């Protein structure tokens, strides 16, 4: 395809036409007449509406005459004018500030609609443009019959070339990023910071105390919070609740802070990342660029790094040099990060040699030799050599878990998010001394697969990136483009849009003459801090269809403007439709979605409905679903006419009649009969976006798009040109998911196992290795560790810490390498961990094989969970010292259990009690300590106990109630309000929490009668 074959992009006319100006002047005049003329006329003709005397009871018994009727009519006119004025204020505020959906004025439906049109016309006089660009031009798809639309899209999609990566620091993007993240303290050459001190006994620093010490007023803690809430701290976490700070955190301080350290602004990022400034490194020559991973014939399309990203090959370039339409934009950087995990020959060749001598070891061998060559894992491998977490996979291993769920990364992320919400309810309903029921069997294996595959960061990037784009486009008075394809890679998100537009809103970047908009993954922290909770999801119909060599491909069901038919073998087709249904039912980039499943059996239809009852409805036949679908389509048509917007996308972007654009999608399991198919085609084939999508199986006459999936699971998306490995969720896979959710729905609980007690674990000063799991995972060990292997070795060490009785090597392999690994790979990893842990004071290895061949940790390895359990046991054994032991135990809690786990690791937690037993014990200990200290009259000690529990379980409302009671017992009403604000803020930031528990609301009403109830979203 040459440049002459491409559709010419429609450009927004920057000049106002005479009609635009006249319409704006007329709207301003009408608003002026309504807002000023009406009250002026009423005051002139009828006087003030306020009575000149105090009404009495006799006024109610007087005879009603013409004067009374006229007074009543005048009062009604005044009330109507007040309602009109409220509508004008609401619409002007929404239009000027771009807040999204305008507030609804009660009983003002038609009036507010009229005022909205007048305000929009008036505001256009003061905007940069007066034209809203439609999703397609008059000669585009939206104005053509479906057959013509296919013909138009085919050459455009088939001729996409490979898109070069954007430069690392484009000047425009840098300027926008600086504008978005700038704060007043960074405008000078220096700024002030404060390092949170470690706890002194039971005392922990708080923002209030720091503000009181450095700013002279504790109530100024909010200034410190606002300066630091978006910064990632040295431990990898960030400040999210004003009352929860951790030792070692770096806090930027206001300019008038006393006792704070003054540092250069340029070093502030280093302090946040490392806890200290990093000295400048000497200049080094730029490394040679990595070879391009694209095939040789595609290399001419990749411009040199020094060229601007928009540069393209000449129009005369032969078509053979361009990749097929299914090839996503090239992303060399993300792929380079994956390479070390898959291909390292040295590791493969050394592993068998390292593992072989193990059989001849004595009865009590260490896990690793003395470091001499020739012994098991004797350090022959240099640091950095081989793959950090090499996994041998293939047919030789019987993996035994549902791999289809792990491959569906967005489905897995959505299911885990909903599952977390169910488990939160379980935690609320458990009895003291009990823990929630843990899944077993195929349910546990399903959760294991979900944990392996879930890509929550990708789901967040897709969701927040699209909402931020919609908000930015609305603020600029621009219309959203039609997105008919999405490529979600490991390091970026690409949108294929029509028509092309070279001017995306920051931080998006344009490629391929504006046909591709790209968002880098490193923009996610900025998006999370942007406050996008009130922005409507612009493209709720995006759903994964499969993956190719470079990432995941999604399409927008609404962009078809008609029916989508899926052909192929029954079992594969059903698996593909099941995956689509599960992703739509659980994704986070859709709002108030409605999904109708037709013809699915009771197991699948009812199972998905149980997972997402607020989204999914299952009916046996299409005849049962058509009336609702047709009614919904008519509602959207009426909303388009009433709101005056040109498309559903514009309505979502501007927040006009927000409830009218909520999507409704139909997914059928069986092919409809001829009569129902005709009726459905007539409903679906609208020629424009109608907040709806329809997927049916088999060959259907009149379908807009037809996709084919073969027995091998390869899907071809017809005119879109995508050829991918289809996303499939087969029957056995979703059966395990349904069993998992049934277990999570159980409100009964299991009694916590007894504590064994035994010898006291080593104290911190006596231990040679310290493993901390009650918060971000931390390991302090004397030996060396290659950073590229730290994640794998840390997981192996955590697994051993969770199994103090020892682990057989075969069991260890299955847990740490769920995709399979050879004995040599396992033994080499164990040897590295042994080197890392070193030896104790007596010269014994801190990692060794016991007499039964199990791998165990030595006696000088200190694990904080083991210490916590021992302290709790001692508190029960010595009632006189119960409070002290519990306080020491809670001092070990630094944050959520095992925080900061990397994606795809620790899947073995699905089959272990650690995540069930430990939070339950800590919550119980915190609650018990609150009760004891309140009984002793130590209200501030009770506050500290509740805060300690909330560090690990910040979503537990029982602990929040304990904190409210304890704070109230101090007599400080202002602090009670601070706690209420913290709780409300947490509710507002949690996308999966609808409302507070009734017990919490009742307590808040008792303590603070005038608090405002948090409504459900």
């Amino acid at each position: 395809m040459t440049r002459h074959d491409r559709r010419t992009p429609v450009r927004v006319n920057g000049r106002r036409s005479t009609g635009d100006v006249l319409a704006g002047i007329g709207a301003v005049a009408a608003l002026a007449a309504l807002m000023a003329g009406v009250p002026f006329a009423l005051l002139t003709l009828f006087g003030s509406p306020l009575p000149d005397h105090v009404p009495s009871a006799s006024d109610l018994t007087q005879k009603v005459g013409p004067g009374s009727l006229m007074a009543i009519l005048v009062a009604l006119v005044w009330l109507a004018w007040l309602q009109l004025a409220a509508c004008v204020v609401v619409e002007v505020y929404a239009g000027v500030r771009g807040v999204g959906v305008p507030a609804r004025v009660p009983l003002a439906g038609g009036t507010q609609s009229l005022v909205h049109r007048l305000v929009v016309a008036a505001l256009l006089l003061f905007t940069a443009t007066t034209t809203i660009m439609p999703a397609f031009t008059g000669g585009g798809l939206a104005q053509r019959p479906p057959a013509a639309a296919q013909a138009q899209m085919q050459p455009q999609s088939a001729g996409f070339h490979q898109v070069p990566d954007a430069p690392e620091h484009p000047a425009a993007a840098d300027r926008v990023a600086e504008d978005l993240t700038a704060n007043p303290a960074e405008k000078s050459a220096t700024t002030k910071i404060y390092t949170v001190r470690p706890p002194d006994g039971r005392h922990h620093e708080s923002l209030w105390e720091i503000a009181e010490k450095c700013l002279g007023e504790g109530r100024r803690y909010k200034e410190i919070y606002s300066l630091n809430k978006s910064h990632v701290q040295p431990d990898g976490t960030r400040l999210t609740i004003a009352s929860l700070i951790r030792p070692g955190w770096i806090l930027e301080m206001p300019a008038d802070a006393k006792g704070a350290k003054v540092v250069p602004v340029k070093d502030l990022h280093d302090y946040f990342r490392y806890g200290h400034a990093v000295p400048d490194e000497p200049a080094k020559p730029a490394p040679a660029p990595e070879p391009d991973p694209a095939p040789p014939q595609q290399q001419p399309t990749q411009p040199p790094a020094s060229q601007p990203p928009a540069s393209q090959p000449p129009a005369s370039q032969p078509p053979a040099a361009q990749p097929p339409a299914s090839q996503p934009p090239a992303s060399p950087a993300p792929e380079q990060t994956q390479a070390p995990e898959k291909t390292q020959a040295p590791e493969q060749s050394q592993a068998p040699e390292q593992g072989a001598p193990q059989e001849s070891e004595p009865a009590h061998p260490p896990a690793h030799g003395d470091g001499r060559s020739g012994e098991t894992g004797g350090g022959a491998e240099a640091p950095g050599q081989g793959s950090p977490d090499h996994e041998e996979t293939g047919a030789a291993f019987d993996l035994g878990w549902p791999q289809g769920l792990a491959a569906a990364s967005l489905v897995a992320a959505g299911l885990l998010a909903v599952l977390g919400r169910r488990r939160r309810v379980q935690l609320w309903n458990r009895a003291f001394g009990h823990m929630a029921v843990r899944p077993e069997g195929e349910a546990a294996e399903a959760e294991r697969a979900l944990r392996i595959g879930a890509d929550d960061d990708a789901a967040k990037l897709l969701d927040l990136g699209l909402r931020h784009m919609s908000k930015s486009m609305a603020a600029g008075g621009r219309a959203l483009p039609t997105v008919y394809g999405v490529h979600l890679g490991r390091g970026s998100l690409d949108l294929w849009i029509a028509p092309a537009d070279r001017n995306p809103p920051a931080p998006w970047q344009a490629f391929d003459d504006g046909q591709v908009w790209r968002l880098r993954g490193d923009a996610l922290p900025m998006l999370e801090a942007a406050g996008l909770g009130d922005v409507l999801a612009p493209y709720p119909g995006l759903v994964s269809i499969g993956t190719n060599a470079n990432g995941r491909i999604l399409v927008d069901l609404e962009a078809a403007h008609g029916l989508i038919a899926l052909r192929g073998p029954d079992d594969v087709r059903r698996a593909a439709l099941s995956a689509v249904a599960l992703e739509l039912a659980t994704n986070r980039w859709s709002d108030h979605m409605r999904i109708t499943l037709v013809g699915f059996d009771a197991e699948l239809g009812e199972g998905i409905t149980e997972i997402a009852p607020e989204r999914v409805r299952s009916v046996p036949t299409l005849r049962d679903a058509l009336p609702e679908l047709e009614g919904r389509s008519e509602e959207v048509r009426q909303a388009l006419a009433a709101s005056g917007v040109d498309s559903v996308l514009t309505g979502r972007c501007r927040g006009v009649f927000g409830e009218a654009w909520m999507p409704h999608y139909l997914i059928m399991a069986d092919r409809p009969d001829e009569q129902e198919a005709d009726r459905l085609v007539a409903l679906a084939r609208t020629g424009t976006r109608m907040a709806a999508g329809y997927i049916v199986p088999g060959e259907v006459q009149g379908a807009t798009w037809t996709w084919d999936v073969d027995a091998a699971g390869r899907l071809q998306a017809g005119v879109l040109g995508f050829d991918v490995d289809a996303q499939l969720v087969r029957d056995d896979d979703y059966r395990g998911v349904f069993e998992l959710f049934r277990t999570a729905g159980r409100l009964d609980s299991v009694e916590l196992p007894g504590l064994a007690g035994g010898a006291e674990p080593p104290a911190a000063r006596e231990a040679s290795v310290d493993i901390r799991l009650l918060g971000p995972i931390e390991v302090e060990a004397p030996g060396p560790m290659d950073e590229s292997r730290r994640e794998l070795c840390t997981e192996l060490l955590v697994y051993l810490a969770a199994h103090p009785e020892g682990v057989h090597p075969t069991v260890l392999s299955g847990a740490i390498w769920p995709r399979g690994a050879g004995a040599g790979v396992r033994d080499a990893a164990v040897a590295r961990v042994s080197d890392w842990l070193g030896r104790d004071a007596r010269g014994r290895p801190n990692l060794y094989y016991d007499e039964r061949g199990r791998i165990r940790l030595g006696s000088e390895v200190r694990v904080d969970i083991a210490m916590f359990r021992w302290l709790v046991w001692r508190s029960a054994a010595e009632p006189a010292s119960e409070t002290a032991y519990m306080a020491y135990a809670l001092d070990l809690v630094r944050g959520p259990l095992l925080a900061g786990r990397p994606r795809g690791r620790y899947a073995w937690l699905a089959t272990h009690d650690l995540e069930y037993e430990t939070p339950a014990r800590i919550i119980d200990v915190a609650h018990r300590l609150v009760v004891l200290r309140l009984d002793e009259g130590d209200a501030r000690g009770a506050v500290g106990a509740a805060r300690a529990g909330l560090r690990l379980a910040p979503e537990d409302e029982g602990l929040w109630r304990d904190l409210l009671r304890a704070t109230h017992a101090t007599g400080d009403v202002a602090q009670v309000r601070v706690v209420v604000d913290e709780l409300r803020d947490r509710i507002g930031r949690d996308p999966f929490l609808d409302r507070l528990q009734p017990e919490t609301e009742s307590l808040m009403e008792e303590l603070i009668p005038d608090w405002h109830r948090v409504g459900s979203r």
Side-chain angles (χ1 to χ4, degrees):
M1 181 186 72
T2 65
R3 292 182 184 272
H4 302 290
D5 296 326
R6 298 178 185 167
R7 188 185 304 112
T8 303
V10 177
R11 305 204 179 274
V12 177
N13 186 4
R15 299 181 179 180
R16 303 177 177 84
S17 65
T18 303
D20 295 331
V21 175
L22 292 177
I25 293 174
V28 171
L31 288 172
L34 291 172
M35 295 300 294
V38 170
F40 177 79
L42 290 173
L43 291 172
T44 302
L45 297 176
F46 303 104
S48 172
L50 301 177
D52 54 3
H53 65 279
V54 179
S56 62
S58 61
D59 293 336
L60 300 176
T61 61
Q62 290 182 356
K63 187 176 181 179
V64 177
S68 299
L69 291 176
M70 183 62 68
I72 293 172
L73 292 176
V74 170
L76 292 176
V77 173
W78 274 109
L79 290 175
W81 180 83
L82 289 174
Q83 185 187 57
L84 176 71
C87 293
V88 171
V89 171
V90 166
E91 293 293 336
V92 169
Y93 176 79
V96 172
R97 298 296 301 274
V99 298
V101 181
R104 310 303 299 170
V105 179
L107 306 177
T111 303
Q112 188 166 1
S113 177
L114 173 63
V115 170
H116 171 76
R117 297 187 183 190
L118 292 174
V119 169
V120 169
L123 290 178
L124 284 175
L125 285 175
F126 309 101
T127 58
T129 64
T130 60
T131 304
I132 299 175
M133 182 177 62
F136 289 96
T137 65
L141 295 179
Q143 307 298 328
R144 299 188 180 196
Q150 296 181 25
Q152 181 73 14
M153 185 172 287
Q154 176 70 36
Q156 183 179 7
S157 61
F160 269 42
H161 351 132
Q162 188 170 351
V163 178
D165 270 351
E168 289 298 325
H169 301 285
D174 281 351
R175 286 194 299 271
V176 173
E178 290 171 2
D179 292 341
L180 288 174
T181 59
N183 59 62
E186 291 180 342
K187 294 180 180 179
S188 60
T190 61
T191 188
K192 296 182 178 181
I193 62 172
Y194 181 89
T195 303
V196 181
R197 297 177 180 177
D200 182 10
R202 304 177 192 175
H203 173 71
H204 296 259
E205 282 195 311
S206 66
L207 286 185
W208 181 282
E209 179 183 334
I210 295 172
E212 199 170 50
K213 178 169 56 177
C214 298
L215 303 177
E217 175 56 67
R219 284 174 290 187
R220 293 184 64 186
Y221 77 94
K222 294 183 179 180
E223 298 177 31
I224 306 176
Y225 175 74
S226 63
L227 283 172
N228 296 276
K229 62 182 179 180
S230 61
H231 292 297
V232 178
Q233 294 290 339
D235 60 2
T237 60
R238 55 170 61 88
L239 178 63
T240 57
I241 300 180
S243 60
L244 299 181
I245 59 175
R246 298 176 182 171
W249 276 10
I250 303 299
L251 301 178
E252 186 178 4
M253 303 293 288
D256 60 338
K258 298 179 181 179
K261 181 178 180 180
V262 178
V263 300
V265 170
K266 64 182 181 64
D267 293 338
L268 186 60
H269 175 74
D270 292 336
Y271 276 96
F272 278 122
R273 184 172 182 182
Y274 305 108
H276 54 81
V278 178
D280 295 334
E281 297 183 0
K284 298 180 181 179
E290 294 289 337
D292 193 274
Q297 66 270 21
Q298 296 178 355
Q299 299 216 356
T301 68
Q302 185 80 6
S306 59
Q307 293 183 3
S311 62
Q312 300 296 333
S316 60
Q317 182 175 348
Q322 301 175 7
S326 61
Q327 179 75 14
S331 302
E335 290 198 25
Q336 289 169 5
T337 63
Q338 298 178 12
E341 299 180 3
K342 297 182 179 179
T343 57
Q344 287 294 341
E347 181 76 29
Q348 275 186 309
S349 62
Q350 292 182 10
E353 296 179 9
Q354 293 170 344
Q358 188 65 44
E359 299 178 359
S360 60
E361 294 284 344
H364 301 276
H368 174 48
D370 296 327
R372 300 184 298 270
S373 60
E375 297 189 11
T376 304
E381 186 174 341
Q385 182 181 1
S387 168
D389 55 352
H390 174 73
E391 296 179 3
E392 296 178 0
T393 59
F397 296 96
D398 181 13
L399 300 182
W401 49 272
Q403 303 170 61
L405 291 175
S409 58
L410 297 183
V411 174
L415 286 171
L416 284 181
V418 179
L419 184 65
R421 185 177 180 179
R422 299 286 176 87
R423 286 184 172 162
R424 182 176 301 173
V425 176
Q426 277 187 306
L427 194 63
W428 289 342
N429 287 275
R430 72 177 183 88
F432 186 89
H434 290 67
M435 63 181 182
V437 179
R438 182 175 64 81
E440 298 179 352
E442 66 177 1
E445 290 301 323
E447 183 177 354
R448 186 181 176 208
L450 295 177
R451 289 172 180 257
I452 292 173
D455 193 348
D456 191 54
D457 284 344
K460 288 180 182 178
L461 184 66
L462 180 61
D463 175 37
L464 299 179
L466 294 177
R467 293 182 194 268
H468 188 274
M469 180 181 74
S470 177
K471 183 177 181 179
S472 300
M473 297 286 277
R478 303 167 60 191
L480 288 170
T482 291
V483 175
Y484 60 89
V486 173
H487 170 252
L488 189 57
R490 191 166 183 178
S492 64
L493 166 65
D494 291 348
L495 308 181
W496 288 302
I497 68 171
D501 186 346
R502 297 184 181 179
N503 185 30
W508 292 85
Q509 298 171 315
F511 293 88
D512 199 15
D513 282 343
Q515 293 182 90
V516 175
W517 286 3
R518 174 174 295 170
L519 178 65
R520 296 286 187 181
D522 54 14
L524 185 57
M526 181 271 290
L527 297 175
E528 291 178 320
L532 302 172
D534 60 343
V535 180
L536 288 177
Y539 304 102
L542 285 172
V543 67
S544 302
I545 60 173
T547 58
N548 60 16
N550 294 323
R552 180 166 299 277
I553 304 298
L554 298 88
V555 299
D556 188 359
L557 302 182
E558 296 180 8
H561 302 165
L563 208 63
I564 302 173
L566 179 62
R567 301 181 301 197
D570 290 345
D571 58 335
V572 183
R573 187 179 62 199
R574 176 184 172 88
L577 293 174
S578 300
V580 169
L582 279 171
E583 185 169 307
L584 287 175
T586 58
N587 72 37
R588 59 175 291 158
W589 56 89
S590 302
D591 297 324
H592 310 290
M593 177 191 292
R594 184 70 169 168
I595 305 167
T596 298
L597 304 179
V598 176
F600 288 89
D601 56 37
E603 181 182 35
L604 180 59
E606 294 177 6
I608 298 180
T609 303
E610 289 178 4
I611 291 176
E614 71 283 356
R615 287 190 177 187
V616 181
R617 173 195 178 210
S618 180
V619 297
T621 65
L622 181 59
R623 193 178 304 276
D624 299 320
L626 279 173
E628 182 181 4
L629 294 170
E630 291 170 340
R632 178 61 183 154
S633 179
E634 183 59 29
E635 290 176 5
V636 175
R637 292 182 189 277
Q638 292 177 3
L640 286 171
S643 63
V645 300
D646 60 342
S647 74
V648 168
L649 283 179
T650 303
R652 288 173 182 160
C653 181
R654 293 191 172 188
V656 182
F657 285 17
E659 68 278 2
W661 320 124
M662 301 301 105
H664 194 154
Y665 303 125
L666 171 73
I667 304 175
M668 294 190 63
D670 300 316
R671 180 180 176 182
D673 60 38
E674 185 174 350
Q675 181 180 1
E676 291 179 341
D678 292 342
R679 186 176 171 186
L680 184 60
V681 169
L683 170 66
R685 181 174 269 181
T686 59
T688 186
R689 186 184 292 261
M690 293 296 292
Y694 310 86
I695 304 181
V696 298
E699 182 74 43
V700 178
Q701 187 68 28
T704 304
W705 292 346
T706 299
W707 300 342
D708 292 283
V709 60
D710 58 25
R714 195 74 183 172
L715 186 145
Q716 295 182 343
V719 297
L720 295 178
F722 299 127
D723 186 0
V724 296
D725 290 322
Q727 177 170 276
L728 306 174
V729 177
R730 301 186 184 273
D731 294 359
D732 291 339
D733 296 343
Y734 64 68
R735 287 191 185 108
V737 170
F738 297 158
E739 181 61 31
L740 175 63
F741 274 83
R742 281 190 287 269
T743 303
R746 293 174 55 183
L747 298 183
D748 56 324
S749 52
V750 179
E751 187 174 357
L752 287 169
L755 297 174
E760 181 179 0
R765 63 180 178 274
E766 300 170 351
S768 54
V769 176
D770 196 359
I771 302 174
R772 293 185 285 271
L773 309 180
L774 298 178
I777 302 172
E778 297 176 356
V779 178
E780 290 185 5
M785 174 50 59
D786 180 6
E787 288 301 319
S788 64
R789 304 178 188 276
R790 182 178 292 272
E791 286 185 357
L792 172 68
C793 292
T794 299
E795 182 184 4
L796 190 151
L797 193 52
V798 171
Y799 187 81
L800 294 175
H803 296 80
E805 72 283 359
V807 179
H808 192 276
T810 303
V811 177
L812 181 68
S813 293
I816 307 301
W817 292 272
R819 294 184 174 91
V825 173
R826 177 199 64 217
D827 293 341
V830 172
R832 292 189 200 100
V833 174
S834 179
D835 281 341
W836 188 18
L837 300 188
R839 295 177 176 269
D840 62 16
R842 299 183 182 180
R844 299 172 301 182
N846 282 318
L847 188 69
Y848 67 96
Y849 287 86
D850 65 13
E851 66 278 3
R852 289 183 288 179
R854 295 176 303 182
I855 307 173
R856 303 186 64 168
L857 296 175
S859 60
E860 288 189 8
V861 177
R862 183 177 187 267
V863 181
D864 58 356
I865 289 181
M867 190 68 187
F868 178 89
R869 292 165 61 91
W870 186 85
L871 290 169
V872 174
W873 172 76
R874 291 296 297 173
S875 70
E878 299 181 20
S881 303
E882 181 180 12
T883 302
Y885 279 118
M886 285 186 171
Y888 295 150
L890 289 178
D891 283 342
L892 297 172
V893 179
R894 299 169 294 112
L897 179 68
L898 301 173
R901 302 192 297 268
R903 177 198 167 196
R905 295 202 175 277
Y906 298 85
W908 52 268
L909 288 171
T911 57
H912 196 278
D913 284 339
L914 186 63
E915 286 188 316
Y916 296 85
E917 178 185 349
T918 303
R921 287 196 189 279
I922 291 175
I923 292 171
D924 285 351
V925 169
H927 174 71
R928 173 66 176 161
L929 187 55
V930 168
V931 173
L932 291 175
R933 284 182 165 169
L934 287 178
D935 290 344
E936 296 170 355
D938 183 8
R940 295 196 178 277
V943 169
R947 292 285 188 189
L950 286 172
R951 286 199 294 268
L952 181 126
E955 74 284 348
D956 186 81
E957 287 195 32
L959 290 177
W960 281 104
R961 292 193 291 270
D962 287 339
L963 179 60
L964 284 168
R965 294 189 188 97
T967 307
H968 183 261
T970 65
D972 190 341
V973 179
Q975 276 300 302
V976 177
R977 294 184 179 274
V978 170
V979 175
V980 170
D981 289 341
E982 291 177 16
L983 181 54
R984 292 181 59 181
D985 180 63
R986 168 161 291 277
I987 298 298
R989 290 184 289 104
D990 193 332
F992 300 105
L993 188 59
D994 292 330
R995 59 180 63 86
L996 294 172
Q997 289 180 283
E999 297 91 333
T1000 308
E1001 293 182 348
S1002 299
L1003 179 61
M1004 293 169 72
E1005 289 174 353
E1006 177 186 347
L1007 301 181
I1008 305 179
D1010 61 343
W1011 85 285
H1012 299 290
R1013 189 180 302 276
V1014 179
S1016 61
R1017 292 188 298 277

